Amino acid sequence: MSALQHEHPHACSPPAFGPLCPLLHFGSHEGLPLPCKRWSQGFVPPTARSPDMTKSPMTKSEQLLRIDDHDFTMRPAFGGPPIPVGVDVQVESLDTISEVDMDFTMTLYLRHYWKDERLSFPSNNNQSMTFDSRLVKKIWVPDMFFVHSKRSFIHDTTTDNVMLRVYPDGNVLYSLRVTVTAMCNMDLSRFPLDTQTCSLEIESYAYTDDDLMLYWKKGNESLNTDDRISLSQFLIQKFHTTTKLAFYSSTGWYNRLYIHFTLRRHIFFFLLQTYFPATLMVMLSWVSFWIDRRAVPARVPLGITTVLTMSTIITGVNASMPRVSYIKAVDIYLWVSFVFVFLSVIEYAAVNYLSTVQERKERKLRERLPCTCGIGNPDDLMIDPMITGYGSMDGNTTGHYGMPENDGRQERMLAQVALSDPQLTGQVKARSYVNIWIDTHAIDKYSRVVFPGAYILFNIIYWSIYS
C-alpha cells in the first residue's frame, strides 16, 4: 500500500477514477468523495514537496526572509552592542593621478560583511540566496561613504553592479563596484623626484562607534589588487591598510578605514622632456665663448635664442603644475640653468663693453702722439736729455692695458707719449712711455673653464641631494 493510500485509505488513484469518480471527466466535482475533490483540485501529496523552501518556486524570497515582519530602518540588534561590519576591498584599477587638482581616481570592489538575524531563514542544505539591487533598498545596509571624495558613482552597466548574498544564519555579504575620485594632498617640493602617499578613507556617515564597529575583515589581507595595475608616470610601491577613530565635535567618534598606497614617480619622462633640453641649452650658450668678439651677429642671436628657449621650457613645466607657494626641485634646476644662460649673454656684453672702452683709449693716444709698435724694450728709445732737451721720465704715467690676440699670441704696443706744457710754446717739459696691454679675450678664456666647471659642480650637488 502506498503512502498516499496509507494516509487516505479512501483516496482514489488514477486508475480508480472511472468507477469512483465518474463525473471527473466532465469537469464537475459535485458528488465526488473528498479525496477525489482534492486530487482534482491540484492536491500535491506531502512527499512531493521540496524539503528546502529556498528552492520552492511557490515561495517568494521576501516572504521567506520576512521582509514585512521587521523594521529595517533600524540597525540589527538595535539597543545592544555595536554591530561589527567587516570590510574588504579589491582594487580593480588606479586610473589617474592629477598634480594640478591634487586628486586620484580609483575603481574598486567594496564588500561588507555583517550579521542580521532578521534575515535568517530555514534551509536544509545551508545554501545562500543571492539578490540584486532591488532587495538592497528594502533591508538595512551599512551607510558607508568616502571621506574627502570629490566624485563617486556605482557602475550601472548593464545593470547596477550591486550584489547581496544572504545566508541561512543571517550572515550578509554586500558587494558593489564603485569608482571614486578622492583628494590627495601631495608634497611637490621634490618634484619630479618625489614619492607620494595617497589615502582612500571609508567611514559610516550616521552610525558612531557606539552603533557600528567598522574593521578590516582580514587585516592587510583585506586589500587585494589586480596585478595588471600600472600607471604611466608612477610606480606603485606598496598598498596597506590602517584603522583609526575620527572625531566630530557635533556627532562623536566614528571608525574610519584607510587604504594607503605609495607611488614613486618615473623620472625618465622628465629627463627626456625637461632636464636634457635645459642642459643642452646651457651647453649651447657656451659656444659663444669660442666665437670672436667682433662677430656680433653671431653671438647676440645665440644668446637671445638660448634665453628664450629656457623661458619656454620653464613656462611649459609650470603650466602643468599647481601654483604652489614653495619651490620645487625642477624649479631649482631650471632657474639655475636659466641663470647660466643669462650670464653667458652678460659675459659677452661685458667683453664687448671693455673692448670698446680700451679701443677708445687707444684711439685717443694715437690721435695725440705717434706710437711705435713691436718694440721689445722701451729703454732703447730713451733719448739723451742733453741732446733733445727733454726732461726726465715720469714713471707714474706708465699703465698696462689688454690687447686682442693674434693667432693666440699677445701683441704688445708701446707708445711714446710726449707731454708738452701749454704755457711753454715749442718746448717739451717731459717725456714718458705708456705700456698698453690689451687682451679682450681674457674674459672668454676664463669663461670657457669657469662656466662648465660651475655647472658640473651644481649638477653633482643637485643629483646627490634629490636622487
Side-chain angles (χ1 to χ4, degrees), residues 310-320 334:
M310 283 301 306
S311 300
T312 303
I313 295 175
I314 294 174
T315 303
V317 171
N318 291 329
S320 60
L334 292 179

Side-chain angles (χ1 to χ4, degrees), residues 176-191:
L176 62 157
R177 180 169 173 255
V178 60
T179 294
V180 57
T181 300
M183 182 177 62
C184 178
N185 292 323
M186 301 182 185
D187 181 12
L188 300 176
S189 59
R190 298 177 63 90
F191 176 88

Side-chain angles (χ1 to χ4, degrees), residues 8 19 72 145 203 211 263 373:
H8 302 285
F72 284 96
F145 81 105
E203 184 181 304
D211 292 321
L263 306 171
C373 303

Side-chain angles (χ1 to χ4, degrees), residues 362 366 371-375 399-404 410-416 434-438:
E362 178 187 353
R366 287 184 177 181
C371 68
T372 58
C373 303
I375 300 177
H400 297 275
Y401 301 89
M403 182 167 183
Q410 293 181 344
E411 181 179 358
R412 180 180 181 185
M413 299 181 62
L414 180 65
Q416 285 184 339
V434 179
N435 292 329
I436 304 175
W437 295 86
I438 303 177

Side-chain angles (χ1 to χ4, degrees), residues 18-132:
L20 295 179
C21 305
L23 300 179
L24 182 60
H25 301 285
F26 297 96
S28 175
H29 299 168
E30 297 296 334
L32 291 177
L34 181 59
C36 296
K37 292 181 180 180
R38 297 176 62 183
W39 186 282
S40 62
Q41 293 175 357
F43 173 74
V44 180
T47 56
R49 295 181 180 179
S50 173
D52 190 355
M53 297 298 294
T54 63
K55 307 304 178 184
S56 174
M58 302 298 296
T59 305
K60 294 182 179 180
S61 59
E62 295 185 11
Q63 295 177 354
L64 183 64
L65 297 175
R66 303 187 304 277
I67 300 296
D68 297 331
D69 296 343
H70 302 282
D71 183 10
F72 284 96
T73 60
M74 311 296 291
R75 71 170 179 88
F78 178 77
I83 175 175
V85 177
V87 176
D88 68 40
V89 170
Q90 177 159 352
V91 179
E92 181 182 9
S93 65
L94 191 57
D95 302 324
T96 58
I97 297 177
S98 174
E99 295 85 1
V100 177
D101 299 326
M102 292 285 186
D103 60 22
F104 65 93
T105 302
M106 178 186 293
T107 300
L108 50 90
Y109 296 94
L110 181 62
R111 305 185 183 98
H112 310 77
Y113 302 85
W114 74 94
K115 185 174 183 179
D116 191 345
E117 295 182 354
R118 296 172 297 183
L119 297 176
S120 61
F121 59 90
S123 176
N124 293 336
N125 51 13
N126 200 28
Q127 292 187 2
S128 62
M129 292 190 297
T130 303
F131 305 96
D132 57 15

